Amino acid sequence: MKLHNNTIRGVHTALAAIFEEGQYADKVIERTLKSNPKWGARDRSFIAETTYEMVRWWRLINYLSPSNNPYDLFGTYWLMQGHSLPPWEEFEKIQPEKLKGKYDKLEDPALIESIPDWLEELGRKELGDKWEAEIHSLNQEADVVLRVNTLKTTRERLKNMLAESNISTHIIKGYKDALILDERQNVFRHPAFKEGLFEVQDGSSQLVAESLAVEPGMRVIDACAGAGGKSLHLAALMENKGKILSMDVEEWKLQQTKLRARRDGVSIIERKVIEGSKTIKRLKESADRLLLDVPCSGLGVLKRNPDTKWKLSLESIEKVRQTQQEILQSYPSMLKSGGQMVYATCSILPSENQEQVQKFLNSEAGKDFELIEDQKVLSHESGFDGFYIARLLKK
């Protein structure tokens, strides 16, 4: 592939915003591409993918690179990808054989997998002998997974429709509404997306709404709804019959739910901002089903959010654990007796997952609940994101 100075500079500008200004990678890339409308599809794809991959391997790139000069960093990454460098003067400091020799001598697992030392220690402590395979899997690029909107079409129909546009997909056992793209591409411009025939949603994430065992006509609360991906899936599973209350502490996130619901043909979602404990108390024992897709470290979704590992700390993970337990101590009061609740995270850490559920069950707030089942979804076993899903019954 031929390299161009302007696209390499585009990558450098994005990396500076991510690492020097602490901005989120997805927002930076979106803004970088928007501010350069003259770039063609190939250039845009190169900048997005290169930025994400350089963020993913940032620690290792910096270790192997002869300096922190943008061209040295990029050139080091380019060689790591198995490419050769053009004879530009910008790359003259880089000696491929020396770089390879340095890499071959590496023994530190945190450097090899390009993660902070503290994360290597925490992962080994919590996941033991599964950690090495898990972090290796989380360092791979994520598949693009679609969730078929069954309110508007079937999986087979959508698969054929996409095939007509030369978008090849395959089905995987155990994920009844999922289609996986054979090759990465931008599906958001496809008419099928604009018509609301699918959402982009990872396979593991699709398991969450399914585990809630909803039925048409139920009253369901999605209490940490965010932009509403799981609320939309619940609506499809309920055949757009009943009521879903999508709640969040951030009003701007719920605005996305409104737009997405309109596109997907969903009419049973009502949005509600959580303004404090009064909002929760007013909804006491009102729901047949309750989904708590709680804030978490996000360590299960490093495939698609590689910058998370550079933004997290032991302190921020401890803070999120406190938030998780506060939600568990308060929100389950919204569930009716005999109702079911799902506690879910996109984390792989037992301290955010089964240990939190156990702590809740041992507390006064959890005395009327019992665990029906839980799923510990690891990336190296599923091929998708790392998730935890626990289903509980209110006796």
Side-chain angles (χ1 to χ4, degrees):
M1 183 183 174
K2 196 175 178 187
L3 294 175
H4 300 281
N5 256 312
N6 66 327
T7 51
I8 293 174
R9 280 196 293 269
V11 171
H12 172 60
T13 303
L15 289 169
I18 293 161
F19 286 106
E20 291 167 27
E21 298 166 34
Q23 296 180 34
Y24 287 99
D26 57 343
K27 303 293 179 202
V28 168
I29 291 166
E30 194 180 311
R31 197 168 60 246
T32 304
L33 298 180
K34 205 173 274 184
S35 59
N36 293 277
K38 289 182 181 175
W39 282 335
R42 190 176 291 181
D43 290 340
R44 299 168 85 79
S45 175
F46 172 84
I47 287 164
E49 286 179 25
T50 304
T51 302
Y52 267 120
E53 288 306 300
M54 286 189 73
V55 168
R56 194 185 309 283
W57 298 107
W58 192 242
R59 184 180 180 187
L60 182 57
I61 291 167
N62 277 270
Y63 174 77
L64 296 173
S65 175
S67 82
N68 62 1
N69 170 285
Y71 279 92
D72 284 346
L73 292 167
F74 173 81
T76 299
Y77 159 76
W78 200 241
L79 288 172
M80 284 167 60
Q81 296 299 302
H83 304 295
S84 54
L85 289 169
W88 296 359
E89 62 177 307
E90 288 92 340
F91 296 133
E92 62 188 15
K93 280 191 207 166
I94 301 174
Q95 299 171 36
E97 287 307 312
K98 191 177 177 183
L99 191 147
K100 185 180 182 303
K102 197 174 179 182
Y103 179 79
D104 288 343
K105 286 177 188 167
L106 267 178
E107 291 180 0
D108 181 353
L111 257 176
I112 292 167
E113 291 296 349
S114 193
I115 56 174
D117 291 333
W118 67 263
L119 180 54
E120 170 66 19
E121 288 168 27
L122 180 66
R124 285 200 184 277
K125 180 183 157 194
E126 295 221 11
L127 287 181
D129 58 7
K130 289 191 171 183
W131 169 249
E132 196 173 320
E134 186 64 7
I135 191 60
H136 186 71
S137 177
L138 290 170
N139 265 332
Q140 310 311 307
E141 190 177 45
D143 285 327
V144 179
V145 186
L146 313 182
R147 178 182 62 75
V148 180
N149 179 10
T150 53
L151 294 176
K152 288 193 168 186
T153 191
T154 65
R155 185 161 65 172
E156 210 52 52
R157 209 177 298 152
L158 179 64
K159 192 179 193 312
N160 294 335
M161 186 180 182
L162 293 172
E164 286 169 14
S165 309
N166 295 317
I167 299 174
S168 178
T169 60
H170 64 276
I171 287 163
I172 192 162
K173 194 179 173 185
Y175 300 83
K176 67 184 182 71
D177 296 330
L179 279 177
I180 296 112
L181 263 62
D182 292 338
E183 282 181 33
R184 290 185 72 81
Q185 51 190 297
N186 184 356
V187 288
F188 295 112
R189 292 180 181 171
H190 196 279
F193 177 73
K194 292 171 183 174
E195 290 166 28
L197 303 189
F198 68 84
E199 292 284 340
V200 174
Q201 186 178 5
D202 183 78
S204 297
S205 177
Q206 293 187 34
L207 298 175
V208 176
E210 279 183 21
S211 68
L212 201 54
V214 292
E215 292 171 15
M218 280 185 169
R219 182 181 168 86
V220 178
I221 296 179
D222 181 359
C224 311
K230 294 178 184 72
S231 289
L232 294 169
H233 192 186
L234 287 166
L237 293 169
M238 293 164 67
E239 299 169 14
N240 207 26
K241 295 168 187 167
K243 185 177 181 182
I244 298 170
L245 192 59
S246 296
M247 301 169 71
D248 204 277
V249 291
E250 305 278 5
E251 187 172 8
W252 63 271
K253 288 181 181 176
L254 293 173
Q255 191 59 31
Q256 283 292 311
T257 308
K258 182 182 179 181
L259 299 172
R260 294 170 77 185
R262 190 180 300 156
R263 187 182 66 234
D264 286 6
V266 171
S267 59
I268 63 168
I269 292 177
E270 181 188 322
R271 294 166 297 122
K272 195 174 191 68
V273 180
I274 299 171
E275 293 168 336
S277 58
K278 280 184 181 174
T279 309
I280 306 300
K281 283 174 184 170
R282 285 193 199 106
L283 291 162
K284 189 177 179 181
E285 296 184 2
S286 63
D288 300 302
R289 296 284 187 272
L290 173 66
L291 174 56
L292 302 180
D293 181 24
V294 298
C296 69
S297 63
L299 283 172
V301 291
L302 291 181
K303 279 177 180 279
R304 63 195 72 254
N305 298 323
D307 53 328
T308 296
K309 58 187 173 184
W310 312 122
K311 289 180 165 56
L312 279 176
S313 66
L314 286 170
E315 291 74 26
S316 65
I317 292 177
E318 181 49 41
K319 200 172 174 184
V320 89
R321 285 191 200 112
Q322 290 170 15
T323 302
Q324 290 165 353
Q325 198 55 228
E326 283 165 13
I327 288 170
L328 277 169
Q329 292 298 317
S330 167
Y331 289 22
S333 64
M334 296 188 285
L335 191 64
K336 293 175 184 174
S337 293
Q340 292 181 29
M341 169 178 100
V342 162
Y343 171 87
T345 76
C346 54
S347 174
I348 49 173
L349 301 178
S351 60
E352 292 184 75
N353 298 337
Q354 53 266 45
E355 289 174 25
Q356 290 285 42
V357 170
Q358 202 52 55
K359 191 175 178 182
F360 165 68
L361 290 171
N362 292 340
S363 71
E364 183 62 25
K367 72 179 193 306
D368 293 331
F369 286 81
E370 64 180 51
L371 179 65
I372 301 170
E373 60 178 352
D374 68 351
Q375 297 179 64
K376 303 165 190 77
V377 185
L378 293 175
S379 178
H380 77 275
E381 293 169 350
S382 68
F384 299 119
D385 290 340
F387 257 78
Y388 176 74
I389 306 162
R391 184 155 65 108
L392 299 99
L393 173 71
K394 188 173 184 180
K395 291 178 272 188

